[in-house]
């Protein structure tokens, strides 16, 4: 039993490696005809798909075994050491697998969604010539993500953190012949570099303060010398700031990058350039939640830095409302869902901000199911519509795609937080915790969250109604070819649909601190979670009421009277433009960061690189060339000249010798 | 009567031969064979020096050295002539001024 986590973490890696080995199989393309080569390539593809999908499905089964044995079987948290990676005197980094409720929950989320996405991809990617590469990347991602969540120390966590970043880059840019996909991949990577730089500094600070990056050591010292550590200060630009707060803030900035919080969110909507299964797995269910997971994992640290928690709460609330307003006007079905992801991650962060870590993890889990379902449903629509992603060229698809339609309804109901669907339980718990946070400081966050909940319902059902209800608005030729997806695509959506319906009910113990068995620590000074039980009825039911109003409004606007939104847009031109242009964040960054950097880089290239460095190197080469040119004149090639030189040298030499001897 | 021949006379002769050889090499612009002959002249002047000094010092070592030098000179000349032959085969003449392929 103790080795089950190790096996389930390594399985996706083995699958990916086995898939990668098929590239060593000689193709024989030169000798055989093209048709034979294609057949061979199919065999290789099948092997790669079988190994990767098989290993991840197996990992999912093991993940559920581990999770259920921890939860229902009464198992205790386990910790397996694999090997010592670094041994630098008193500082050691030992890789291993820490399996407590927190990581076991993540195993289940990651492996389950990954398994569904692998199977789904067999159908979705069946026409793609390089689908083998796709599956290998997917499995490698799964491995990196499992490394991240199972890590017993921050070094291994960071390795997984960067590993998922690389796989995300590779998968966003999977269709590398598309320039926009390449640009999006680079954008994701670069924005995450900014965040990771902050995160690295935070980790260094922790290492300097605690002399270790192992969770156990850090939390042990936090418990033992709480007062001394809280008073520790670090000089920063002439000020003395609390070391713990600074480290916590820097790590939060790292988490903001990975989890697409406002300011560092710009890469997530662009990441939709990747294939839809990638969006479902990486950019909805797992990788983007890594930041939430990390903050929950570090809850003993964040509990000592209430000022940072306030920042986390405000950033989360800002992201939730920002992404919700942008989601209202986007036309690309995947971009709407991407902004919805962004917004839901905002909810999770403000749950963390009010110390309701269990609520954040609960929402992370339920969100993984319904958001992956929504993405896979969107993928099914896109697949049926021959890569049409604009919801204004869809409509009336419920007769064509009945099963997808039902799945999208379930996913959207869960997203909007309608009982008894999954999102209701977790989102309500988050909002109640915010409302009841001790001192009431987080009540503004609650109101923002409640408003965002209504917007969530509107944009969530906007895509359902625009795509599936009313009259068809696109090309008739596309509609006549549209068809319900095959079962290899619909099948994997079923477990996720079940999760979207049932996860909230079944996993509701996750919303309590006791369930986590010490994996999460909440200081009794700001125990919002406990207080949330006593939320007044109006605060408890307002979000639900708002969500229902949102759905009704969405029905009215996007199914019944589709010309009203256009009139609204022209009346409210300025808010509409702000929302449509995503609050002009990209434009601001372009103006403030990208263009100055380009100008500076161009200047450096022209004057420093070309004229300075190249000038130096080319100058040296030119000087050598000129000197050689001058010296070659002395080599006439005439024997007589050489002989004369020799004689003269002899005469002069002998003369000098004689002069020396005589003198 | 006859002046008796002293070492100075012989050394003067060898110096004249040496200078003749050197001038022959430097001023000759046409014929490689002539250069080879001039080289022999220089070696000869060295041989005369050796023989003369060994005679006047009553030491046989100089004579023996001379034989060695003659042998080496013969071998060297053989190689030189072989080079000239090859050169002629490749270029069709043995003009020194035309052998300037190595000019800068």
């Amino acid at each position: 039993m103790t080795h089950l986590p190790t096996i389930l973490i390594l399985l996706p890696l083995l699958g990916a490696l086995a898939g990668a080995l098929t590239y060593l199989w000689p193709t024989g393309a030169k000798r055989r005809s093209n048709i034979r080569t294609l057949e061979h390539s199919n065999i290789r593809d099948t092997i790669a798909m079988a190994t990767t999908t098989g290993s991840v499905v197996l990992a999912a089964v093991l993940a559920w075994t581990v999770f259920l044995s921890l939860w229902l079987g009464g198992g205790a948290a386990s910790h397996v050491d694999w090997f010592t990676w670094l041994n630098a005197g008193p500082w050691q980094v030992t890789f291993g697998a820490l399996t407590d409720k927190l990581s076991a929950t993540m195993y289940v989320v990651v492996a389950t969604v990954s398994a569904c996405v692998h199977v789904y991809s067999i159908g979705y990617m069946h026409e793609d010539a390089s689908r083998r590469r796709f599956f290998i990347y997917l499995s490698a991602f799964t491995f990196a993500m499992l490394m991240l969540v199972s890590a017993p120390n921050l070094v291994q966590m960071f390795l997984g953190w960067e590993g998922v970043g690389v796989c995300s880059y590779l998968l966003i840019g999977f269709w590398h012949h598309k320039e926009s996909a390449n640009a999006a991949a680079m954008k994701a990577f670069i924005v995450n570099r900014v965040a990771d730089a902050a995160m690295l500094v935070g980790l260094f600070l922790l290492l300097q303060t605690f002399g270790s990056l192992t969770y156990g050591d850090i939390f042990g010292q936090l418990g033992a010398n709480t007062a001394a550590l809280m008073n520790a200060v670090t000089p920063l630009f002439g000020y003395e700031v609390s070391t713990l707060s600074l480290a916590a803030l820097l790590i939060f900035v790292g988490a903001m990058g990975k989890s697409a919080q406002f300011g560092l969110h710009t890469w997530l909507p662009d990441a939709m350039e990747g294939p839809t299964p990638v969006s479902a797995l990486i950019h909805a269910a797992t990788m983007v939640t890594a930041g939430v997971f990390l903050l929950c994992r570090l809850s003993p640290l964040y509990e000592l830095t209430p000022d940072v928690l306030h920042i986390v709460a405000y950033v989360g609330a800002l992201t939730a409302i920002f992404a919700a307003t942008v989601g209202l006007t986007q036309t690309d079905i995947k971009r709407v869902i991407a902004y919805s992801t962004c917004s839901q991650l905002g909810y999770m962060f403000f749950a963390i901000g009010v110390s309701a870590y269990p609520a954040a993890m609960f929402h992370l889990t339920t969100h993984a199911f319904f958001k992956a379902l929504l993405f896979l449903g969107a993928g099914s629509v896109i697949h049926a519509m021959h890569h049409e992603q604009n919801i204004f060229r869809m409509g009336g698809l419920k007769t064509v795609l009945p099963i997808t339609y039902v799945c999208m309804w379930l996913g959207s109901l869960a997203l909007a937080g309608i009982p008894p669907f999954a999102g209701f339980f977790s989102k309500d718990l988050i909002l109640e915790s915010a409302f009841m946070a001790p001192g009431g400081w987080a009540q503004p966050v609650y109101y923002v969250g409640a408003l965002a909940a209504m917007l969530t319902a509107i944009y969530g059902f906007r895509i359902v109604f625009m795509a599936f209800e009313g009259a068809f608005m696109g090309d008739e030729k596309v509609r006549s070819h549209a068809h319900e997806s095959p079962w290899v695509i619909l099948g994997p959506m079923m477990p996720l649909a079940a999760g979207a319906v049932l996860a909230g009910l079944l996993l509701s113990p996750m919303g309590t601190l006791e369930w986590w068995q010490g994996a999460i620590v909440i200081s009794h000074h700001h125990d919002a979670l406990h207080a949330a039980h006593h939320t007044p009825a109006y605060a408890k039911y307002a979000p639900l009421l708002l969500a229902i109003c949102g759905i009704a409004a969405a029905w009215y606007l996007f199914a019944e009277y589709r010309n009203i939104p256009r009139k609204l847009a022209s009346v409210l031109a300025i808010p509409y433009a702000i929302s449509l242009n995503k609050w002009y964040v990209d434009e601001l960054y372009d103006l403030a960061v990208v263009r100055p950097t380009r100008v500076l880089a161009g200047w450096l290239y022209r004057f420093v690189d070309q004229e300075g460095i190249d000038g130096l190197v080319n100058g040296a080469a030119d000087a050598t060339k000129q000197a050689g040119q001058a010296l070659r004149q002395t080599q006439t090639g005439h024997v007589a000249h050489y002989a004369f030189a020799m004689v003269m040298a002899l005469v002069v030499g002998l003369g000098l010798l004689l002069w020396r001897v005589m003198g | 009567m006859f002046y008796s021949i002293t070492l100075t006379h012989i050394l003067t002769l060898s110096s004249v031969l040496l200078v003749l050889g050197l001038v022959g090499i430097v001023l000759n612009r046409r014929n490689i064979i002539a250069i080879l002959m001039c080289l022999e002249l220089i070696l000869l002047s060295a041989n005369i020096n050796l023989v003369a000094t060994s005679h006047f010092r009553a030491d046989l070592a100089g004579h023996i050295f001379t034989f060695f030098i003659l042998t080496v000179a013969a071998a060297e000349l053989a190689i030189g002539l072989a080079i000239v032959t090859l050169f002629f085969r490749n270029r069709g003449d043995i003009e020194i001024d035309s052998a300037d392929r190595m000019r800068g």
Side-chain angles (χ1 to χ4, degrees):
Chain A
M1 271 315 274
T2 52
H3 289 290
L4 270 190
T6 309
I7 296 168
L8 90 90
I9 292 162
L10 290 180
L11 265 174
L13 176 69
L14 292 179
L17 287 179
L21 279 180
T22 60
Y23 279 98
L24 296 179
W25 187 350
T27 54
K30 276 179 189 162
R31 283 183 284 114
R32 299 194 174 88
S33 71
N34 283 335
I35 298 163
R36 282 293 290 275
T37 315
L38 198 68
E39 279 170 11
H40 272 239
S41 151
N42 279 342
I43 293 169
R44 276 184 286 270
D45 284 357
T46 310
I47 292 174
M49 289 194 298
T51 57
T52 53
T53 310
S55 65
V56 172
V57 169
L58 196 56
V61 173
L62 291 181
W64 277 101
T65 314
V66 170
F67 178 72
L68 291 177
S69 74
L70 253 184
W71 179 15
L72 304 174
S78 71
H79 179 196
V80 183
D81 278 338
W82 295 338
F83 60 94
T84 299
W85 183 54
L86 270 183
N87 196 346
W91 183 45
Q92 285 189 338
V93 176
T94 302
F95 279 15
L98 171 65
T99 308
D100 54 7
K101 280 276 178 72
L102 204 51
S103 31
T105 307
M106 290 304 284
Y107 293 163
V108 165
V109 169
V110 173
T112 309
V113 177
S114 182
C116 291
V117 165
H118 270 81
V119 176
Y120 181 90
S121 301
I122 293 175
Y124 193 81
M125 302 297 282
H126 74 102
E127 285 168 343
D128 201 293
S130 44
R131 55 190 168 155
R132 192 164 21 144
R133 189 161 55 88
F134 181 80
F135 278 87
I136 293 166
Y137 288 166
L138 271 189
S139 279
F141 166 82
T142 310
F143 167 68
M145 190 68 204
L146 289 171
M147 280 274 283
L148 193 166
V149 298
S150 69
N153 59 61
L154 284 159
V155 179
Q156 188 184 336
M157 189 287 300
F158 194 69
L159 204 72
W161 186 273
E162 293 301 320
V164 292
V166 169
C167 292
S168 158
Y169 166 81
L170 291 170
L171 285 165
I172 296 170
F174 179 73
W175 286 320
H176 51 75
H177 46 82
K178 264 166 73 184
E179 201 170 320
S180 55
N182 277 325
M186 273 192 274
K187 187 172 180 183
F189 207 68
I190 291 169
V191 173
N192 272 298
R193 288 285 71 62
V194 176
D196 290 349
M199 173 131 167
L200 263 182
V201 178
L203 295 190
F204 291 147
L205 259 181
L206 285 185
L207 180 61
Q208 190 193 31
T209 313
F210 296 96
S212 168
L213 284 177
T214 308
Y215 293 130
D217 293 352
I218 294 177
F219 299 159
Q221 288 190 40
L222 278 175
N225 323 318
T226 315
L229 283 166
M230 282 182 78
N231 290 330
V233 287
T234 303
L236 182 76
F237 304 125
Y239 297 95
E240 301 226 305
V241 293
S242 158
T243 307
L244 288 189
S245 294
L246 187 60
L249 186 66
L250 286 167
I251 291 174
F252 171 58
V253 173
M256 277 172 72
K258 197 65 79 205
S259 298
Q261 291 303 287
F262 185 78
L264 293 169
H265 68 281
T266 53
W267 64 272
L268 185 59
D270 287 19
M272 297 301 125
E273 288 291 340
T276 308
V278 172
S279 310
L281 175 62
I282 301 184
H283 306 118
T286 57
M287 184 186 82
V288 290
T289 60
V292 179
F293 163 78
L294 179 63
L295 261 58
C296 290
R297 172 62 88 196
L298 291 174
S299 58
L301 171 67
Y302 280 89
E303 279 306 285
L304 296 180
T305 57
D307 38 352
V308 177
L309 282 182
H310 286 207
I311 298 175
V312 174
Y314 293 133
V315 169
L318 179 62
T319 309
I321 190 76
F322 152 76
T325 57
V326 175
L328 286 175
T329 56
Q330 301 302 308
T331 55
D332 184 319
I333 185 167
K334 282 179 73 182
R335 272 181 188 261
V336 177
I337 309 179
Y339 276 106
S340 152
T341 305
C342 208
S343 173
Q344 298 304 309
L345 289 166
Y347 276 100
M348 296 176 208
F349 273 106
F350 80 66
I352 290 171
V354 298
S355 294
Y357 307 95
M361 284 303 295
F362 186 23
H363 196 52
L364 187 161
T365 311
T366 56
H367 172 256
F369 286 111
F370 64 71
K371 191 51 63 66
L373 175 66
L374 281 173
F375 262 118
L376 295 188
S380 172
V381 174
I382 295 166
H383 187 255
M385 297 288 291
H386 298 278
H387 299 282
E388 178 59 65
Q389 302 195 3
N390 189 335
I391 50 174
F392 284 91
R393 297 209 197 100
M394 299 175 184
L397 292 178
K398 66 177 169 185
T399 50
V400 188
L401 301 163
I403 301 171
T404 310
Y405 176 60
V406 172
C407 287
M408 290 298 274
W409 255 98
L410 296 177
S412 298
L413 283 172
L415 172 67
I418 305 298
F421 297 95
F424 166 74
F425 298 91
S426 49
K427 193 189 278 183
D428 249 31
L429 188 59
I430 289 176
L431 288 171
E432 287 165 17
S433 304
F435 189 81
M436 294 303 285
W441 64 271
Q443 284 200 358
V445 171
Y446 165 84
Y447 292 117
V448 169
L451 181 61
M454 183 172 80
L455 299 180
T456 304
I458 296 178
Y459 68 66
F461 278 90
R462 174 169 170 258
I463 51 176
V464 174
F465 294 147
M466 288 302 284
F468 292 95
E469 300 287 343
F472 186 72
M473 296 172 286
D475 191 351
E476 267 310 316
K477 219 189 280 173
V478 175
R479 184 185 152 83
S480 58
H481 286 114
H483 52 89
E484 180 64 287
S485 303
W487 274 102
V488 68
I489 285 183
L490 295 175
M493 289 160 63
M494 296 305 136
L496 296 174
V501 177
L502 298 172
L505 270 175
L506 295 180
L507 300 176
S508 56
M510 266 191 191
T512 61
L513 179 61
E514 293 70 31
W515 189 85
W516 295 94
Q517 292 176 335
I520 288 172
V521 174
I522 299 178
S523 151
H524 61 273
H525 294 302
H526 24 98
D527 192 357
L529 198 62
H530 233 78
H533 294 305
H534 314 293
T535 316
Y538 70 91
K540 200 171 168 60
Y541 295 112
L544 176 60
L545 203 65
L546 284 169
I548 292 171
C549 290
I551 297 174
W555 170 261
Y556 188 76
L557 291 173
F558 302 113
E560 284 296 305
Y561 302 99
R562 279 185 177 171
N563 50 347
I564 295 182
R566 210 164 295 131
K567 283 179 196 158
L568 267 179
S570 58
V571 172
L572 302 168
I574 293 171
Y576 177 73
I578 291 175
S579 165
L580 187 67
N581 291 297
K582 312 146 205 163
W583 289 27
Y584 296 99
V585 178
D586 274 321
E587 284 75 7
L588 180 71
Y589 283 173
D590 190 51
L591 212 63
V593 183
V594 179
R595 277 169 200 276
T597 310
R598 282 216 175 139
V599 170
L600 181 69
W603 185 83
L604 285 173
Y605 170 65
R606 218 169 306 120
F607 295 105
V608 177
D609 198 62
Q610 281 199 319
E611 295 196 359
I613 296 172
D614 284 5
L616 211 65
V617 175
N618 290 341
D622 272 349
T624 313
K625 203 170 152 190
Q626 297 289 337
Q629 199 65 256
L631 280 173
R632 64 180 280 200
Q633 306 300 328
T634 61
Q635 302 290 322
T636 58
H638 291 295
V639 177
H641 294 169
Y642 297 123
F644 181 71
M646 280 155 74
V647 169
M648 289 314 290
L650 191 68
V651 168
V652 171
L654 281 176
L656 276 174
L657 195 67
L658 242 119
W659 183 65
R660 289 276 304 267
V661 172
M662 297 303 183
Chain B
M1 287 302 286
F2 295 106
Y3 294 100
S4 63
I5 298 172
T6 62
L7 185 58
T8 316
H9 291 110
I10 298 172
L11 288 184
T12 312
L13 172 67
S14 76
S15 303
V16 169
L17 282 174
L18 175 77
V19 171
L20 270 178
L22 289 176
V23 169
I25 289 172
V26 174
L27 294 188
N28 173 22
R29 320 218 81 181
R30 301 194 67 83
N31 202 336
I32 292 178
I33 303 288
I35 287 186
L36 289 176
M37 286 155 69
C38 290
L39 280 177
E40 287 309 304
L41 221 52
I42 293 170
L43 283 171
L44 195 60
S45 74
N47 279 347
I48 289 170
N49 268 2
L50 280 171
V51 171
T53 43
S54 91
H55 171 75
F56 284 104
R57 292 179 55 135
D59 182 351
L60 269 179
H63 286 78
I64 296 165
F65 249 119
T66 306
F67 280 114
F68 276 110
I69 293 176
L70 279 176
T71 318
V72 171
E76 170 243 299
L77 195 68
I79 293 168
L81 283 172
I83 291 173
V84 171
T85 314
L86 271 178
F87 188 79
F88 182 77
R89 244 188 235 165
N90 281 330
R91 303 286 300 263
D93 63 48
I94 48 172
E95 296 241 345
I96 297 165
D97 283 357
S98 74
D100 61 352
R101 275 211 185 160
M102 296 286 278
R103 71 175 180 277

